[in-house]
Amino acid sequence: QLQLVESGGGLVQPGESLRLSCAASGGTLDYYAMGWFRQAPGKEREPVSSISLSDGATFYASSLKGRFTISRDDAKNTMYLQMNNLTPEDTAVYYCAARSSVTTSWQLRWRRTYEYDYWGQGTPVTVSS
């Protein structure tokens, strides 16, 4: 069974950058779509970004596009989220997730938490001066 472990979170100041990693074990990333979500205190989990592993297509929450970049390294079985110019509004626990089957219309599905079968435990990101 696929296991996902996030890392790279921490405390940064506004304007700084972080790169989150999501390492997969017990399977490979070749057969999955992957995504990043975040959950701020007292708020619902929200979609951040996703990458379709069948064709490499990437998707972003409209408010984050341009600051965040999703990528993957199949040789390392790892997905990344590069986050630049962070603001206090980016403070949240960040989760990676994986889908166990390729589907159509991923551009319409990726935002929904129930489309994903596996979840990591999350890594906290705090942006504060």
Side-chain angles (χ1 to χ4, degrees), residues 77-110:
N77 265 9
T78 301
M79 178 178 68
Y80 303 98
L81 184 68
Q82 177 67 42
M83 307 186 296
N84 297 327
N85 194 21
L86 287 161
T87 73
E89 289 68 36
D90 296 316
T91 295
V93 177
Y94 284 71
Y95 298 90
C96 71
R99 179 182 171 90
S100 60
S101 61
V102 177
T103 185
T104 59
S105 304
W106 187 242
Q107 69 273 20
L108 302 177
R109 298 173 180 264
W110 74 270

PDB file of all heavy atoms in Angstrom, residues 77-110:
ATOM      1  N   ASN A  77      10.864   8.908  -6.496  1.00  0.00           N
ATOM      2  CA  ASN A  77       9.504   8.674  -5.988  1.00  0.00           C
ATOM      3  C   ASN A  77       9.035   9.824  -5.097  1.00  0.00           C
ATOM      4  O   ASN A  77       8.435   9.599  -4.035  1.00  0.00           O
ATOM      5  CB  ASN A  77       9.436   7.365  -5.213  1.00  0.00           C
ATOM      6  CG  ASN A  77       8.959   6.213  -6.069  1.00  0.00           C
ATOM      7  OD1 ASN A  77       8.822   6.334  -7.282  1.00  0.00           O
ATOM      8  ND2 ASN A  77       8.707   5.087  -5.438  1.00  0.00           N
ATOM      9  N   THR A  78       9.307  11.021  -5.526  1.00  0.00           N
ATOM     10  CA  THR A  78       9.035  12.187  -4.696  1.00  0.00           C
ATOM     11  C   THR A  78       8.355  13.287  -5.503  1.00  0.00           C
ATOM     12  O   THR A  78       8.714  13.518  -6.661  1.00  0.00           O
ATOM     13  CB  THR A  78      10.335  12.730  -4.076  1.00  0.00           C
ATOM     14  OG1 THR A  78      10.942  11.695  -3.296  1.00  0.00           O
ATOM     15  CG2 THR A  78      10.059  13.931  -3.183  1.00  0.00           C
ATOM     16  N   MET A  79       7.390  13.918  -4.865  1.00  0.00           N
ATOM     17  CA  MET A  79       6.726  15.082  -5.436  1.00  0.00           C
ATOM     18  C   MET A  79       7.117  16.299  -4.610  1.00  0.00           C
ATOM     19  O   MET A  79       7.379  16.181  -3.405  1.00  0.00           O
ATOM     20  CB  MET A  79       5.204  14.891  -5.394  1.00  0.00           C
ATOM     21  CG  MET A  79       4.408  16.062  -5.910  1.00  0.00           C
ATOM     22  SD  MET A  79       2.631  15.773  -5.883  1.00  0.00           S
ATOM     23  CE  MET A  79       2.296  15.722  -4.121  1.00  0.00           C
ATOM     24  N   TYR A  80       7.148  17.456  -5.252  1.00  0.00           N
ATOM     25  CA  TYR A  80       7.580  18.673  -4.578  1.00  0.00           C
ATOM     26  C   TYR A  80       6.545  19.780  -4.753  1.00  0.00           C
ATOM     27  O   TYR A  80       5.750  19.781  -5.696  1.00  0.00           O
ATOM     28  CB  TYR A  80       8.916  19.160  -5.153  1.00  0.00           C
ATOM     29  CG  TYR A  80      10.009  18.138  -5.071  1.00  0.00           C
ATOM     30  CD1 TYR A  80      10.331  17.351  -6.170  1.00  0.00           C
ATOM     31  CD2 TYR A  80      10.735  17.963  -3.890  1.00  0.00           C
ATOM     32  CE1 TYR A  80      11.339  16.413  -6.103  1.00  0.00           C
ATOM     33  CE2 TYR A  80      11.748  17.025  -3.814  1.00  0.00           C
ATOM     34  CZ  TYR A  80      12.047  16.253  -4.926  1.00  0.00           C
ATOM     35  OH  TYR A  80      13.044  15.321  -4.846  1.00  0.00           O
ATOM     36  N   LEU A  81       6.596  20.727  -3.830  1.00  0.00           N
ATOM     37  CA  LEU A  81       5.831  21.959  -3.975  1.00  0.00           C
ATOM     38  C   LEU A  81       6.758  23.107  -3.599  1.00  0.00           C
ATOM     39  O   LEU A  81       7.116  23.264  -2.430  1.00  0.00           O
ATOM     40  CB  LEU A  81       4.586  21.969  -3.082  1.00  0.00           C
ATOM     41  CG  LEU A  81       3.692  23.189  -3.248  1.00  0.00           C
ATOM     42  CD1 LEU A  81       3.018  23.183  -4.624  1.00  0.00           C
ATOM     43  CD2 LEU A  81       2.636  23.271  -2.144  1.00  0.00           C
ATOM     44  N   GLN A  82       7.169  23.854  -4.604  1.00  0.00           N
ATOM     45  CA  GLN A  82       7.988  25.038  -4.379  1.00  0.00           C
ATOM     46  C   GLN A  82       7.054  26.213  -4.111  1.00  0.00           C
ATOM     47  O   GLN A  82       6.184  26.517  -4.943  1.00  0.00           O
ATOM     48  CB  GLN A  82       8.862  25.329  -5.603  1.00  0.00           C
ATOM     49  CG  GLN A  82       9.699  26.588  -5.481  1.00  0.00           C
ATOM     50  CD  GLN A  82      10.776  26.478  -4.424  1.00  0.00           C
ATOM     51  OE1 GLN A  82      11.439  25.449  -4.299  1.00  0.00           O
ATOM     52  NE2 GLN A  82      10.964  27.543  -3.646  1.00  0.00           N
ATOM     53  N   MET A  83       7.242  26.856  -2.963  1.00  0.00           N
ATOM     54  CA  MET A  83       6.378  27.966  -2.569  1.00  0.00           C
ATOM     55  C   MET A  83       7.227  29.216  -2.403  1.00  0.00           C
ATOM     56  O   MET A  83       8.148  29.234  -1.582  1.00  0.00           O
ATOM     57  CB  MET A  83       5.659  27.633  -1.260  1.00  0.00           C
ATOM     58  CG  MET A  83       4.909  26.308  -1.289  1.00  0.00           C
ATOM     59  SD  MET A  83       3.941  26.010   0.194  1.00  0.00           S
ATOM     60  CE  MET A  83       5.222  25.903   1.429  1.00  0.00           C
ATOM     61  N   ASN A  84       6.924  30.224  -3.178  1.00  0.00           N
ATOM     62  CA  ASN A  84       7.682  31.463  -3.156  1.00  0.00           C
ATOM     63  C   ASN A  84       6.840  32.623  -2.646  1.00  0.00           C
ATOM     64  O   ASN A  84       5.602  32.590  -2.680  1.00  0.00           O
ATOM     65  CB  ASN A  84       8.188  31.789  -4.562  1.00  0.00           C
ATOM     66  CG  ASN A  84       9.147  30.744  -5.082  1.00  0.00           C
ATOM     67  OD1 ASN A  84       9.905  30.134  -4.344  1.00  0.00           O
ATOM     68  ND2 ASN A  84       9.121  30.547  -6.389  1.00  0.00           N
ATOM     69  N   ASN A  85       7.535  33.656  -2.178  1.00  0.00           N
ATOM     70  CA  ASN A  85       6.879  34.874  -1.718  1.00  0.00           C
ATOM     71  C   ASN A  85       5.722  34.556  -0.767  1.00  0.00           C
ATOM     72  O   ASN A  85       4.592  35.006  -0.951  1.00  0.00           O
ATOM     73  CB  ASN A  85       6.373  35.675  -2.917  1.00  0.00           C
ATOM     74  CG  ASN A  85       5.997  37.092  -2.556  1.00  0.00           C
ATOM     75  OD1 ASN A  85       6.439  37.622  -1.535  1.00  0.00           O
ATOM     76  ND2 ASN A  85       5.145  37.704  -3.366  1.00  0.00           N
ATOM     77  N   LEU A  86       6.049  33.796   0.246  1.00  0.00           N
ATOM     78  CA  LEU A  86       5.019  33.343   1.182  1.00  0.00           C
ATOM     79  C   LEU A  86       4.451  34.504   1.992  1.00  0.00           C
ATOM     80  O   LEU A  86       5.156  35.475   2.300  1.00  0.00           O
ATOM     81  CB  LEU A  86       5.588  32.284   2.105  1.00  0.00           C
ATOM     82  CG  LEU A  86       5.823  30.923   1.423  1.00  0.00           C
ATOM     83  CD1 LEU A  86       6.783  30.067   2.228  1.00  0.00           C
ATOM     84  CD2 LEU A  86       4.507  30.207   1.214  1.00  0.00           C
ATOM     85  N   THR A  87       3.182  34.382   2.314  1.00  0.00           N
ATOM     86  CA  THR A  87       2.485  35.376   3.127  1.00  0.00           C
ATOM     87  C   THR A  87       1.872  34.680   4.343  1.00  0.00           C
ATOM     88  O   THR A  87       1.735  33.452   4.356  1.00  0.00           O
ATOM     89  CB  THR A  87       1.370  36.061   2.333  1.00  0.00           C
ATOM     90  OG1 THR A  87       0.276  35.133   2.170  1.00  0.00           O
ATOM     91  CG2 THR A  87       1.857  36.501   0.959  1.00  0.00           C
ATOM     92  N   PRO A  88       1.490  35.437   5.361  1.00  0.00           N
ATOM     93  CA  PRO A  88       0.850  34.815   6.527  1.00  0.00           C
ATOM     94  C   PRO A  88      -0.396  34.005   6.152  1.00  0.00           C
ATOM     95  O   PRO A  88      -0.735  33.049   6.861  1.00  0.00           O
ATOM     96  CB  PRO A  88       0.502  36.023   7.404  1.00  0.00           C
ATOM     97  CG  PRO A  88       1.556  37.025   7.076  1.00  0.00           C
ATOM     98  CD  PRO A  88       1.792  36.861   5.596  1.00  0.00           C
ATOM     99  N   GLU A  89      -1.055  34.369   5.062  1.00  0.00           N
ATOM    100  CA  GLU A  89      -2.242  33.631   4.617  1.00  0.00           C
ATOM    101  C   GLU A  89      -1.902  32.224   4.122  1.00  0.00           C
ATOM    102  O   GLU A  89      -2.803  31.403   3.944  1.00  0.00           O
ATOM    103  CB  GLU A  89      -2.976  34.404   3.526  1.00  0.00           C
ATOM    104  CG  GLU A  89      -3.705  35.660   4.000  1.00  0.00           C
ATOM    105  CD  GLU A  89      -2.748  36.759   4.442  1.00  0.00           C
ATOM    106  OE1 GLU A  89      -1.662  36.897   3.805  1.00  0.00           O
ATOM    107  OE2 GLU A  89      -3.063  37.476   5.416  1.00  0.00           O
ATOM    108  N   ASP A  90      -0.645  31.948   3.902  1.00  0.00           N
ATOM    109  CA  ASP A  90      -0.223  30.611   3.480  1.00  0.00           C
ATOM    110  C   ASP A  90       0.007  29.684   4.672  1.00  0.00           C
ATOM    111  O   ASP A  90       0.312  28.503   4.481  1.00  0.00           O
ATOM    112  CB  ASP A  90       1.057  30.705   2.645  1.00  0.00           C
ATOM    113  CG  ASP A  90       0.855  31.457   1.343  1.00  0.00           C
ATOM    114  OD1 ASP A  90      -0.164  31.206   0.662  1.00  0.00           O
ATOM    115  OD2 ASP A  90       1.723  32.286   1.015  1.00  0.00           O
ATOM    116  N   THR A  91      -0.106  30.201   5.873  1.00  0.00           N
ATOM    117  CA  THR A  91       0.065  29.382   7.060  1.00  0.00           C
ATOM    118  C   THR A  91      -0.995  28.288   7.114  1.00  0.00           C
ATOM    119  O   THR A  91      -2.197  28.572   7.049  1.00  0.00           O
ATOM    120  CB  THR A  91      -0.022  30.251   8.317  1.00  0.00           C
ATOM    121  OG1 THR A  91       1.082  31.172   8.333  1.00  0.00           O
ATOM    122  CG2 THR A  91       0.013  29.397   9.581  1.00  0.00           C
ATOM    123  N   ALA A  92      -0.550  27.044   7.196  1.00  0.00           N
ATOM    124  CA  ALA A  92      -1.461  25.901   7.188  1.00  0.00           C
ATOM    125  C   ALA A  92      -0.647  24.629   7.347  1.00  0.00           C
ATOM    126  O   ALA A  92       0.587  24.650   7.267  1.00  0.00           O
ATOM    127  CB  ALA A  92      -2.254  25.851   5.877  1.00  0.00           C
ATOM    128  N   VAL A  93      -1.349  23.538   7.554  1.00  0.00           N
ATOM    129  CA  VAL A  93      -0.739  22.220   7.423  1.00  0.00           C
ATOM    130  C   VAL A  93      -0.923  21.795   5.967  1.00  0.00           C
ATOM    131  O   VAL A  93      -2.050  21.847   5.449  1.00  0.00           O
ATOM    132  CB  VAL A  93      -1.370  21.197   8.373  1.00  0.00           C
ATOM    133  CG1 VAL A  93      -0.754  19.826   8.159  1.00  0.00           C
ATOM    134  CG2 VAL A  93      -1.196  21.643   9.822  1.00  0.00           C
ATOM    135  N   TYR A  94       0.153  21.392   5.356  1.00  0.00           N
ATOM    136  CA  TYR A  94       0.130  21.009   3.946  1.00  0.00           C
ATOM    137  C   TYR A  94       0.170  19.484   3.839  1.00  0.00           C
ATOM    138  O   TYR A  94       1.033  18.833   4.439  1.00  0.00           O
ATOM    139  CB  TYR A  94       1.310  21.631   3.203  1.00  0.00           C
ATOM    140  CG  TYR A  94       1.103  23.100   2.940  1.00  0.00           C
ATOM    141  CD1 TYR A  94       1.146  24.039   3.969  1.00  0.00           C
ATOM    142  CD2 TYR A  94       0.823  23.567   1.660  1.00  0.00           C
ATOM    143  CE1 TYR A  94       0.922  25.379   3.740  1.00  0.00           C
ATOM    144  CE2 TYR A  94       0.608  24.918   1.406  1.00  0.00           C
ATOM    145  CZ  TYR A  94       0.654  25.814   2.456  1.00  0.00           C
ATOM    146  OH  TYR A  94       0.435  27.154   2.214  1.00  0.00           O
ATOM    147  N   TYR A  95      -0.752  18.953   3.048  1.00  0.00           N
ATOM    148  CA  TYR A  95      -0.889  17.511   2.868  1.00  0.00           C
ATOM    149  C   TYR A  95      -0.654  17.144   1.414  1.00  0.00           C
ATOM    150  O   TYR A  95      -1.119  17.850   0.503  1.00  0.00           O
ATOM    151  CB  TYR A  95      -2.298  17.058   3.246  1.00  0.00           C
ATOM    152  CG  TYR A  95      -2.689  17.302   4.677  1.00  0.00           C
ATOM    153  CD1 TYR A  95      -3.296  18.499   5.059  1.00  0.00           C
ATOM    154  CD2 TYR A  95      -2.463  16.331   5.651  1.00  0.00           C
ATOM    155  CE1 TYR A  95      -3.665  18.730   6.375  1.00  0.00           C
ATOM    156  CE2 TYR A  95      -2.833  16.551   6.971  1.00  0.00           C
ATOM    157  CZ  TYR A  95      -3.427  17.761   7.319  1.00  0.00           C
ATOM    158  OH  TYR A  95      -3.783  17.979   8.631  1.00  0.00           O
ATOM    159  N   CYS A  96       0.024  16.026   1.215  1.00  0.00           N
ATOM    160  CA  CYS A  96       0.059  15.493  -0.139  1.00  0.00           C
ATOM    161  C   CYS A  96      -0.890  14.308  -0.217  1.00  0.00           C
ATOM    162  O   CYS A  96      -1.223  13.679   0.791  1.00  0.00           O
ATOM    163  CB  CYS A  96       1.465  15.105  -0.562  1.00  0.00           C
ATOM    164  SG  CYS A  96       2.160  13.646   0.235  1.00  0.00           S
ATOM    165  N   ALA A  97      -1.334  14.055  -1.427  1.00  0.00           N
ATOM    166  CA  ALA A  97      -2.329  13.010  -1.641  1.00  0.00           C
ATOM    167  C   ALA A  97      -2.071  12.346  -2.986  1.00  0.00           C
ATOM    168  O   ALA A  97      -1.486  12.953  -3.886  1.00  0.00           O
ATOM    169  CB  ALA A  97      -3.738  13.593  -1.597  1.00  0.00           C
ATOM    170  N   ALA A  98      -2.541  11.114  -3.097  1.00  0.00           N
ATOM    171  CA  ALA A  98      -2.352  10.361  -4.329  1.00  0.00           C
ATOM    172  C   ALA A  98      -3.640   9.653  -4.726  1.00  0.00           C
ATOM    173  O   ALA A  98      -4.407   9.198  -3.873  1.00  0.00           O
ATOM    174  CB  ALA A  98      -1.238   9.331  -4.156  1.00  0.00           C
ATOM    175  N   ARG A  99      -3.829   9.572  -6.021  1.00  0.00           N
ATOM    176  CA  ARG A  99      -4.968   8.838  -6.563  1.00  0.00           C
ATOM    177  C   ARG A  99      -4.447   7.540  -7.150  1.00  0.00           C
ATOM    178  O   ARG A  99      -3.428   7.529  -7.821  1.00  0.00           O
ATOM    179  CB  ARG A  99      -5.674   9.652  -7.639  1.00  0.00           C
ATOM    180  CG  ARG A  99      -6.850   8.927  -8.270  1.00  0.00           C
ATOM    181  CD  ARG A  99      -7.491   9.761  -9.359  1.00  0.00           C
ATOM    182  NE  ARG A  99      -8.474   8.976 -10.080  1.00  0.00           N
ATOM    183  CZ  ARG A  99      -9.758   8.901  -9.735  1.00  0.00           C
ATOM    184  NH1 ARG A  99     -10.194   9.566  -8.696  1.00  0.00           N
ATOM    185  NH2 ARG A  99     -10.594   8.162 -10.442  1.00  0.00           N
ATOM    186  N   SER A 100      -5.180   6.449  -6.932  1.00  0.00           N
ATOM    187  CA  SER A 100      -4.657   5.142  -7.316  1.00  0.00           C
ATOM    188  C   SER A 100      -5.012   4.729  -8.732  1.00  0.00           C
ATOM    189  O   SER A 100      -4.587   3.665  -9.175  1.00  0.00           O
ATOM    190  CB  SER A 100      -5.175   4.068  -6.340  1.00  0.00           C
ATOM    191  OG  SER A 100      -6.582   4.018  -6.373  1.00  0.00           O
ATOM    192  N   SER A 101      -5.744   5.540  -9.453  1.00  0.00           N
ATOM    193  CA  SER A 101      -6.066   5.161 -10.825  1.00  0.00           C
ATOM    194  C   SER A 101      -6.154   6.404 -11.687  1.00  0.00           C
ATOM    195  O   SER A 101      -6.562   7.472 -11.222  1.00  0.00           O
ATOM    196  CB  SER A 101      -7.380   4.386 -10.895  1.00  0.00           C
ATOM    197  OG  SER A 101      -8.446   5.181 -10.421  1.00  0.00           O
ATOM    198  N   VAL A 102      -5.761   6.243 -12.911  1.00  0.00           N
ATOM    199  CA  VAL A 102      -5.844   7.342 -13.858  1.00  0.00           C
ATOM    200  C   VAL A 102      -7.294   7.493 -14.279  1.00  0.00           C
ATOM    201  O   VAL A 102      -8.018   6.520 -14.421  1.00  0.00           O
ATOM    202  CB  VAL A 102      -4.956   7.076 -15.085  1.00  0.00           C
ATOM    203  CG1 VAL A 102      -5.113   8.193 -16.115  1.00  0.00           C
ATOM    204  CG2 VAL A 102      -3.501   6.955 -14.662  1.00  0.00           C
ATOM    205  N   THR A 103      -7.708   8.716 -14.461  1.00  0.00           N
ATOM    206  CA  THR A 103      -9.086   8.966 -14.855  1.00  0.00           C
ATOM    207  C   THR A 103      -9.109  10.048 -15.907  1.00  0.00           C
ATOM    208  O   THR A 103      -8.098  10.654 -16.215  1.00  0.00           O
ATOM    209  CB  THR A 103      -9.927   9.371 -13.633  1.00  0.00           C
ATOM    210  OG1 THR A 103     -11.294   9.510 -14.014  1.00  0.00           O
ATOM    211  CG2 THR A 103      -9.442  10.703 -13.060  1.00  0.00           C
ATOM    212  N   THR A 104     -10.250  10.280 -16.437  1.00  0.00           N
ATOM    213  CA  THR A 104     -10.382  11.366 -17.402  1.00  0.00           C
ATOM    214  C   THR A 104     -10.802  12.639 -16.681  1.00  0.00           C
ATOM    215  O   THR A 104     -11.238  12.619 -15.523  1.00  0.00           O
ATOM    216  CB  THR A 104     -11.432  11.006 -18.470  1.00  0.00           C
ATOM    217  OG1 THR A 104     -12.687  10.758 -17.820  1.00  0.00           O
ATOM    218  CG2 THR A 104     -11.014   9.768 -19.246  1.00  0.00           C
ATOM    219  N   SER A 105     -10.656  13.732 -17.377  1.00  0.00           N
ATOM    220  CA  SER A 105     -11.115  15.034 -16.880  1.00  0.00           C
ATOM    221  C   SER A 105     -10.507  15.372 -15.530  1.00  0.00           C
ATOM    222  O   SER A 105     -11.190  15.896 -14.635  1.00  0.00           O
ATOM    223  CB  SER A 105     -12.648  15.055 -16.787  1.00  0.00           C
ATOM    224  OG  SER A 105     -13.245  14.755 -18.021  1.00  0.00           O
ATOM    225  N   TRP A 106      -9.225  15.060 -15.357  1.00  0.00           N
ATOM    226  CA  TRP A 106      -8.580  15.353 -14.070  1.00  0.00           C
ATOM    227  C   TRP A 106      -8.608  16.846 -13.782  1.00  0.00           C
ATOM    228  O   TRP A 106      -8.635  17.243 -12.629  1.00  0.00           O
ATOM    229  CB  TRP A 106      -7.160  14.832 -14.058  1.00  0.00           C
ATOM    230  CG  TRP A 106      -6.489  14.953 -12.734  1.00  0.00           C
ATOM    231  CD1 TRP A 106      -5.379  15.661 -12.421  1.00  0.00           C
ATOM    232  CD2 TRP A 106      -6.909  14.316 -11.505  1.00  0.00           C
ATOM    233  NE1 TRP A 106      -5.067  15.519 -11.093  1.00  0.00           N
ATOM    234  CE2 TRP A 106      -5.994  14.718 -10.506  1.00  0.00           C
ATOM    235  CE3 TRP A 106      -7.976  13.487 -11.162  1.00  0.00           C
ATOM    236  CZ2 TRP A 106      -6.109  14.283  -9.179  1.00  0.00           C
ATOM    237  CZ3 TRP A 106      -8.084  13.070  -9.838  1.00  0.00           C
ATOM    238  CH2 TRP A 106      -7.170  13.457  -8.871  1.00  0.00           C
ATOM    239  N   GLN A 107      -8.621  17.673 -14.817  1.00  0.00           N
ATOM    240  CA  GLN A 107      -8.660  19.117 -14.594  1.00  0.00           C
ATOM    241  C   GLN A 107      -9.942  19.526 -13.890  1.00  0.00           C
ATOM    242  O   GLN A 107     -10.006  20.608 -13.292  1.00  0.00           O
ATOM    243  CB  GLN A 107      -8.514  19.871 -15.920  1.00  0.00           C
ATOM    244  CG  GLN A 107      -9.699  19.751 -16.859  1.00  0.00           C
ATOM    245  CD  GLN A 107      -9.620  18.520 -17.748  1.00  0.00           C
ATOM    246  OE1 GLN A 107      -8.904  17.562 -17.437  1.00  0.00           O
ATOM    247  NE2 GLN A 107     -10.329  18.544 -18.863  1.00  0.00           N
ATOM    248  N   LEU A 108     -10.967  18.697 -13.946  1.00  0.00           N
ATOM    249  CA  LEU A 108     -12.221  18.986 -13.261  1.00  0.00           C
ATOM    250  C   LEU A 108     -12.321  18.305 -11.902  1.00  0.00           C
ATOM    251  O   LEU A 108     -13.170  18.669 -11.091  1.00  0.00           O
ATOM    252  CB  LEU A 108     -13.400  18.530 -14.127  1.00  0.00           C
ATOM    253  CG  LEU A 108     -13.488  19.160 -15.518  1.00  0.00           C
ATOM    254  CD1 LEU A 108     -14.669  18.571 -16.291  1.00  0.00           C
ATOM    255  CD2 LEU A 108     -13.600  20.673 -15.432  1.00  0.00           C
ATOM    256  N   ARG A 109     -11.475  17.305 -11.667  1.00  0.00           N
ATOM    257  CA  ARG A 109     -11.593  16.483 -10.467  1.00  0.00           C
ATOM    258  C   ARG A 109     -10.573  16.828  -9.385  1.00  0.00           C
ATOM    259  O   ARG A 109     -10.814  16.543  -8.212  1.00  0.00           O
ATOM    260  CB  ARG A 109     -11.410  15.015 -10.838  1.00  0.00           C
ATOM    261  CG  ARG A 109     -12.449  14.472 -11.812  1.00  0.00           C
ATOM    262  CD  ARG A 109     -12.061  13.063 -12.241  1.00  0.00           C
ATOM    263  NE  ARG A 109     -13.016  12.494 -13.180  1.00  0.00           N
ATOM    264  CZ  ARG A 109     -14.001  11.694 -12.832  1.00  0.00           C
ATOM    265  NH1 ARG A 109     -14.157  11.361 -11.560  1.00  0.00           N
ATOM    266  NH2 ARG A 109     -14.819  11.223 -13.741  1.00  0.00           N
ATOM    267  N   TRP A 110      -9.450  17.415  -9.747  1.00  0.00           N
ATOM    268  CA  TRP A 110      -8.301  17.424  -8.847  1.00  0.00           C
ATOM    269  C   TRP A 110      -8.548  18.167  -7.537  1.00  0.00           C
ATOM    270  O   TRP A 110      -7.868  17.933  -6.556  1.00  0.00           O
ATOM    271  CB  TRP A 110      -7.086  18.002  -9.562  1.00  0.00           C
ATOM    272  CG  TRP A 110      -7.104  19.480  -9.769  1.00  0.00           C
ATOM    273  CD1 TRP A 110      -7.605  20.162 -10.844  1.00  0.00           C
ATOM    274  CD2 TRP A 110      -6.606  20.482  -8.870  1.00  0.00           C
ATOM    275  NE1 TRP A 110      -7.443  21.515 -10.666  1.00  0.00           N
ATOM    276  CE2 TRP A 110      -6.836  21.745  -9.474  1.00  0.00           C
ATOM    277  CE3 TRP A 110      -5.989  20.435  -7.623  1.00  0.00           C
ATOM    278  CZ2 TRP A 110      -6.458  22.939  -8.853  1.00  0.00           C
ATOM    279  CZ3 TRP A 110      -5.611  21.616  -7.012  1.00  0.00           C
ATOM    280  CH2 TRP A 110      -5.851  22.855  -7.629  1.00  0.00           C
TER     281      TRP A 110
END
